[in-house]
Amino acid sequence: MAVFNQVEFDNHEQVVFCSDEASGLKAIIAVHSTKLGPAVGGCRLWNYASDEDAVYDVLRLSKGMTFKNAVARLPFGGGKSVIIGDAKKIKSEALFRAFGKHLDRLGGSYYSAEDVNITTGDVMIMHKETNYVMGLEGKSGNPSPFTALGTFLGIKAAFQHKFGHENLAGIKVSVQGLGAVAYTLCKYLHEAGAELFVTDINEESVQRVVNDFNATAVGIDEIYDLDVDVYAPCALGATVNDDTIPRLKAKIIAGCANNQLAESRHGEIIREKGILYAPDYVINAGGIINVYYETKPEGYDKAASTKHVEGIYDTLTEIFKRSEQEQKSTHLIADELAQEIIENGL
C-alpha cells in the first residue's frame, strides 16, 4: 500500500496506524501540519472498502484541516483520524477507550473530536484515556449547529456575490446527505423560504426532513440532475467530478461536506461553467471554530464563538472577489489564502 508517493501525502508530519485486538480497533491518525499549533481534526468512523481507501481519505481530510484551521484564523495545525468499520456493529466503550490510548501516546501533537458516525458521547469515552480531545460535553459540546450556521451564511454570501442579494425566499436547493449538520442547515433554509430537494442513503433521515421542512425526496443519483439554484453536498466527498459536473444545473455549489471536488482541476471546470463554488473547508469551518472556544482560558463563550462563525460570510466574500479579479477558481484562491496565513502566521 503506497503512502509516501500519494499526491495527498503532501509532506504529512506523521501517519500512525493503530490496532487493538481485544476491541477490534483499526484506525489511522494523520498529522499534516503543526506549524500554527497542535493538529486538530475530528475522528470519522466509516466502513471503507479497503485500507487504501481509508489512507486516501484520512490524508485528504488531514491536509484539508490544515487549510481550514488557517483560513478560520485558529491557532491549530491540521490532522484527522479514521476508525475503520461498520458504525452499527463495532461501536463499544472498549473501542473508543483503545483509540483514546493511542491518541494519548501522541503526546498532544494531535487532538481529536467528533465527525461522521462519532458522537460527543463517543468522544467522552475517549476522554477517559486522554486529554487530547475536544468538543466535550459540558464545554463547547456538539459542533454541528455551528457548522450548519456557517454553511447557511456561506450560501447567503454566495448569493450576494452571484446575484447581488441574499434573499433566499423561493430559491431551490438540493441537499445531498442529511446528517446532523445538514438537518440543521435544512432548518435554516426552510425558515428562509427556500424549497428543498433532499436525498440520503438513510430513508428515516429523508422522511424526517420531508416531514419537518416540507422537502421533496429524490433518488440518490437523481440529485445531480435537478434544476436548482444551489447544490449543497453534505455527505462524503468527491461528488463534484467528471461524471456529475455535466449534469449539474445549479449556479452555486455550497455545502458542508469535506473534499467536495474529486480533483483540483474540477474547480476550474465548474468556474468555466459559470458555477460559483464555496470552498468546502472555508464554508464548513463553523464546527472547529466552536471547538476552539472551549480552549480559551476564560472558558467557553457561545456568543464569541457565534461571532467568529459569522465571519465565514466575510471570508467567502473576499475569496469570491479575488477569484473574479484574478480569474482563478475559488478553491485555488482559498488555498493561496491558507498558505499565506501558514507562512506569515495568524
Side-chain angles (χ1 to χ4, degrees):
M1 178 172 58
V3 177
F4 290 107
N5 63 356
Q6 279 203 31
V7 172
E8 300 301 332
F9 180 74
D10 191 50
N11 296 312
H12 267 70
E13 294 178 11
Q14 193 173 25
V15 181
V16 180
F17 293 80
C18 313
S19 68
D20 177 71
E21 186 176 1
S23 66
L25 174 73
K26 294 186 185 302
I28 309 170
I29 299 171
V31 176
H32 179 252
S33 172
T34 56
K35 187 162 185 180
L36 294 179
V40 179
C43 177
R44 170 172 296 187
L45 199 170
W46 194 255
N47 198 18
Y48 292 97
S50 67
D51 293 348
E52 288 80 3
D53 286 351
V55 169
Y56 177 75
D57 200 32
V58 77
L59 291 177
R60 289 195 83 195
L61 292 166
S62 175
K63 179 182 176 182
M65 287 305 304
T66 296
F67 285 17
K68 178 186 292 192
N69 291 333
V71 173
R73 305 280 180 171
L74 300 176
F76 296 154
K80 203 77 174 183
S81 53
V82 297
I83 297 175
I84 301 169
D86 186 339
K88 295 179 180 178
K89 296 178 180 178
I90 70 166
K91 275 195 174 190
S92 69
E93 177 162 350
L95 182 89
F96 292 120
R97 292 190 77 141
F99 183 71
K101 289 176 182 176
H102 281 285
L103 284 179
D104 206 60
R105 291 185 186 123
L106 294 180
S109 63
Y110 167 68
Y111 284 73
S112 191
E114 66 87 41
D115 194 24
V116 176
N117 288 325
I118 299 288
T119 67
T120 51
D122 300 330
V123 174
M124 292 302 291
I125 297 173
M126 299 174 195
H127 188 40
K128 292 179 179 180
E129 301 291 345
T130 184
N131 288 322
Y132 303 129
V133 287
M134 293 183 177
L136 299 173
E137 294 176 354
K139 291 190 177 182
S140 66
N142 183 4
S144 296
F146 295 87
T147 307
L149 174 61
T151 305
F152 173 68
L153 293 173
I155 291 173
K156 293 183 76 173
F159 248 82
Q160 178 64 45
H161 182 81
K162 187 79 174 174
F163 302 113
H165 70 86
E166 55 180 55
N167 180 9
L168 305 184
I171 72 161
K172 296 180 179 180
V173 183
S174 59
V175 183
Q176 178 190 51
L178 299 171
V181 176
Y183 176 85
T184 305
L185 174 62
C186 287
K187 180 176 182 290
Y188 280 125
L189 290 167
H190 175 68
E191 290 172 350
E195 183 180 355
L196 301 174
F197 299 83
V198 300
T199 194
D200 192 283
I201 58 174
N202 187 325
E203 185 55 40
E204 290 181 10
S205 298
V206 173
Q207 202 54 51
R208 183 185 181 204
V209 174
V210 168
N211 293 340
D212 292 355
F213 308 127
N214 197 30
T216 300
V218 300
I220 295 291
D221 190 58
E222 184 185 354
I223 198 80
Y224 303 109
D225 300 310
L226 302 179
D227 189 2
V228 295
D229 301 288
V230 181
Y231 166 54
C234 298
L236 295 183
T239 64
V240 180
N241 55 52
D242 289 331
D243 293 330
T244 62
I245 289 173
R247 299 163 60 185
L248 293 173
K249 299 178 178 66
K251 293 299 182 184
I252 293 170
I253 297 176
C256 58
N258 288 310
N259 298 326
Q260 294 170 26
L261 304 179
E263 298 177 39
S264 179
R265 63 185 176 85
H266 292 126
E268 184 59 27
I269 293 171
I270 58 177
R271 186 184 77 85
E272 291 176 353
K273 193 177 177 181
I275 299 173
L276 180 62
Y277 171 56
D280 45 33
Y281 62 77
V282 181
I283 195 172
N284 69 13
I288 192 65
I289 290 171
N290 187 58
V291 164
Y292 162 67
Y293 278 86
E294 76 176 34
T295 71
K296 304 287 279 184
E298 61 271 26
Y300 176 68
D301 184 338
K302 183 177 180 180
S305 171
T306 301
K307 185 177 180 180
H308 195 151
V309 172
E310 289 170 348
I312 290 172
Y313 184 106
D314 297 327
T315 302
L316 282 170
T317 298
E318 177 188 350
I319 289 168
F320 295 151
K321 287 179 179 177
R322 281 179 57 171
S323 169
E324 201 167 77
Q325 290 166 355
E326 299 178 28
Q327 289 298 293
K328 287 183 182 177
S329 58
T330 54
H331 81 290
L332 292 179
I333 297 294
D335 287 356
E336 289 175 5
L337 178 60
Q339 288 162 350
E340 289 167 12
I341 294 167
I342 292 166
E343 289 303 313
N344 300 322
L346 299 172

